[in-house]
Every structure is written in C-alpha cells, then in structure tokens.
Amino acid sequence: MSFKSTIEFIKSIYPNKGFIPLHEPKFIGNEKKYVLETIESTFVSSVGEYVNKFEQEIASITGAKYAVAIVNGTSALHLALKCAGVQNNDLVITQSLSFIATTNAISYLGAAPIFIDVDLQTMGLCPIALKEWLLTETVQKINNESGKIECIHIGSQKRISAVVPMHTFGHPCVVDGLESICEEYQIPLIEDAAESIGSQYKNKHTGTFGLAGVFSFNGNKTITCGGGGAIVTNDESFAKLAKHLSTQAKLPHVWEFNHDMVGYNYRMPNINAALACAQLEQLNAFIDNKRELALMYSDFFEKIEGIVYKSEPINSKSNYWLHTIQLKDKEQRDLFLAETNENGVMTRPTWTPTHLLPMYKDAICGDLKNTSFLAERLVNISSSVRA
Ligand SMILES: *Cc1c(COP(=O)(O)O)cnc(C)c1O
C-alpha cells in the first residue's frame, strides 16, 4: 500500500512548504508588544501584571474559580499532586498511554504509578476498566489517625491517593464517569489536561471535573508561552496552597524572608505570562482553524482504506491539538511513518507506553490491551494552525 495520496493531500493543506512540521507555534497577535512591555518595565520575573492577568484569563476560559500560573506543565502536575495529598509510598492511578511527564510527576513525590487501560474511542483512562480494577484489587479502610476512608491496594497494602486521567491529543476522556468513581472511592481526581486547553466535555471545560486540573503551554502545544503551565481548581484552600508552594512558601512581608514549608520555585515569570496572554487572545481562532482541518481530514480519510481518522468522541468538543490516525497494524504504521517523513511530511507514532519504559517496567498494571492496540497503530499527522 502506498500513502502517496495522503502525502499529496497534506501538502495541499500546507502549500508552499518544503518541510511540514508536526505542530508549529504561531505568533500573529500581540506577542511582541506584550513581551516588549515586560522588558521595558523591567518586570520580567516572578512578579508582574501579566501573571495576574494570565491567571484571570485561564479561570475565565475554563470556568474554574481559581487558576495558578506555573513554570511548566510537569511542575504543575507535581505541585497539584502534592497539594492533593500524594505522599511518599502512596500509589497513584494513571494511564500508560501518555507523555512521560504524567507518571514522572507521581515519582517526584515518592509515589508509584498504577497503569489502567484507556478506552479505544477517547484514548483516555477508561471508567469501566478503572471500576473493575478497583472492585477486585482494593478495599476501603478507615485510617485510624485521620478518621478518613482510604482506598487500599490489597496486594501491596498501599494507599491509592489520586487518579490522574489524561485528555489525549486534546480529545476529552469520559471524565464524568471517572469523577463519579473517584467520589465513590473517595480518591482525589487530578486531570492532566496539558493537551486540552479549550476542549470541553458535556459543555464543561476539561480540567474542571476533579479536585484540580493541569495545563501546559510548552512550545508544541495548542498555544505556547515558551514554557508554561497552570493549575485550575474550585477549591480555595487548594489554590492558596498551590500558589504558596509555587513561590518558595514565602510568608508575605515587606522586607523579611520567612518560609513555613518546603516550597518550590515554580511561579511562571511575567515575560512568559505576557506571551501567554497574547496567545490566549487567539485561542478560539486557533481552535476554529484546527476544527476546520478536522473536517477536511475526516472527509479525506473516509475514502482511504486501512486508515481511521480519530474524530472527537461523543459528548465533547476537542481542541484537536494533534490530529491522529489509526493504521491497520504496526507494519502499516511503520510504512506510513517512513513514507511520510521521507517526503517532507513530519509524522510520528504515539509515545512508547510508560509501563514498557525501564523505570516503570515493574509497576502495577491492569489489563492494558487497548493501550497496546493503540500504541502500535496511532500516528500524529500535520496539525499546525494554517495560515
Ligand atoms: C506536554 C505535556 C505535559 C508536560 O508539560 P510541559 O509544559 O512540557 O512540562 C504533561 N502531560 C502531558 C500529557 C503533556 O502532553
């Protein structure tokens, strides 16, 4: 099978380009103006008006009560899990089909991941698989010190202290299903919404279903500020703790330096926030542009035998961060990757599932048949906003 017609189609979507990258940032708004303002005012670092403005904008776009600006998505995940109470020796449930940062954030706290399968349609954590695993592998116990109900993994006798689903490539997972399971088992839900700024599930923004959600504004994401992240939550004390820990846990005082906890230098600098504010102004236009492309791709791939285009799941509006296709098998996938990349159209397979990496090969896993199926077949194709 040749993928010539697909390559020609992608080249027609992105004309006059010798090489078509997977996802390019676009700076076509107020980026230069706002960044220059921070330089001219000298407020380039962790204090400044753009950081506050960015937090207000993120809260308003997502509908969350509070937003905290963070240096990057990985640190935002680390801090959100810390604020949710994840501790040394705990277990945290997540998906193996994700970027490595999701699981690394769990490790930073001395906790270990449990990998549960994704569903085939959303490519995110599957509520049915989660429920089945919890039913057979865990018991609920009352902690004698705190008096709280805890979910204990029978095999290791360790506490499960968070569930972290991820909205894969911008497509929302079945997050209301996960939310009700987490409520039943009294486990905090922290959404890795790093890829899904602007994506909604049942008209509610991703990242706002659980205790907290996390976004990334890295260079390859839908909008970028070089490096950046955010935590959103409706819980006031959670938001206060996240902000406090992100600013070295420094107690407010005009001249004294006092700290009451082991904090982090995780605050987003004002110069990045300026770039982020300019990009946020264009978020809706970028998403409209990507959604138009989704229609073109889905029309095109409908006629191509052996390739399934991954359209947004039901009940959701996706930001279509990375457009994704599913090939028949691993062999076809590898042929597709070779032919496209040789012809100047950058494509790439999805991440190696985290449970196969050397650091996590001994992790506790559910049945990961969908994860393995998808990991062998998914390919991300040209996804940049078109001129
Ligand atoms: C990008 C990404 C992150 C990390 O964000 P950074 O800003 O690059 O640190 C975390 N999780 C997922 C799923 C991501 O795609």
Side-chain angles (χ1 to χ4, degrees), residues 63 78 127 191 227 255 308 322 343 359 369 371:
H78 175 202
E191 295 170 69
W255 57 79
V308 175
L322 287 186
N343 283 283
M359 315 79 85
K369 60 179 186 304
T371 300

Side-chain angles (χ1 to χ4, degrees), residues 70-77 95 97-103 165-169 192-196 214-221 226-230 321 348 351:
I70 303 289
V71 276
N72 60 56
T74 309
S75 306
L77 270 170
Q95 57 196 69
L97 191 78
S98 184
F99 179 54
I100 187 68
T102 316
T103 300
M166 199 275 281
H167 301 288
T168 307
F169 307 133
D192 182 348
E195 306 182 351
S196 65
V214 162
F215 296 97
S216 164
F217 304 96
N218 189 33
N220 63 346
K221 296 296 202 291
W321 170 50
R348 70 171 190 215
W351 318 277

